[in-house]
Amino acid sequence: DVQLQASGGGLVQTGGSLRLSCAASGLTFGDNAFTWFRQAPGKEREAVSCISLVDGSTYSADSVKGRFTMTSDNAKNTVYLQMNSLKPEDTAVYYCAAIFGYCSPWPQAYEYNYWGQGTQVTVSS
């Protein structure tokens, strides 16, 4: 079975940093693209950042460009979301998701094959 295990959320002050991890198992890591989504209370799920292990490309939403970075460790089958300069509006439950192939064009949430459990990120003002 495919599993995506997300971790690393927590409570941080404005301007702080967190690193989220998404460990994948049961799939061929290098054939997939991984996206971090987030969902705040009362809001729709939003795609934040994507990395394709096929071609190494990365994409980020305008709201996080310059602050969030996705990387991967192929030896550990894990992708990371480094979040710097956090703002209260970044508060949400963050989910990782996997899809075969590429980030471009950036797939819609319904297209993703696999989802991890959420991890809560709370940024206090």
Side-chain angles (χ1 to χ4, degrees):
D1 291 350
V2 175
Q3 290 191 351
L4 301 179
Q5 185 69 39
S7 61
L11 173 64
V12 65
Q13 291 185 335
T14 296
S17 298
L18 283 174
R19 189 178 77 160
L20 305 183
S21 300
C22 178
S25 61
L27 51 70
T28 304
F29 190 67
D31 288 347
N32 286 270
F34 293 83
T35 291
W36 285 97
F37 289 84
R38 67 185 180 186
Q39 189 165 20
K43 295 188 177 181
E44 293 188 356
R45 189 165 295 192
E46 173 191 20
V48 175
S49 292
C50 183
I51 185 169
S52 171
L53 279 303
V54 179
D55 62 4
S57 59
T58 59
Y59 296 85
S60 292
D62 288 343
S63 58
V64 305
K65 278 182 180 177
R67 300 188 299 122
F68 291 11
T69 304
M70 276 196 79
T71 59
S72 68
D73 184 333
N74 291 4
K76 295 182 178 180
N77 282 10
T78 301
V79 296
Y80 303 95
L81 182 67
Q82 179 66 43
M83 305 186 294
N84 298 328
S85 302
L86 284 161
K87 306 175 181 180
E89 51 264 44
D90 295 317
T91 295
V93 178
Y94 284 70
Y95 301 87
C96 63
I99 188 170
F100 183 82
Y102 302 90
C103 296
S104 181
W106 203 336
Q108 299 297 308
Y110 70 88
E111 298 181 82
Y112 283 79
N113 307 108
Y114 307 107
W115 290 82
Q117 88 289 4
T119 185
Q120 176 71 47
V121 172
T122 303
V123 185
S124 63
S125 57

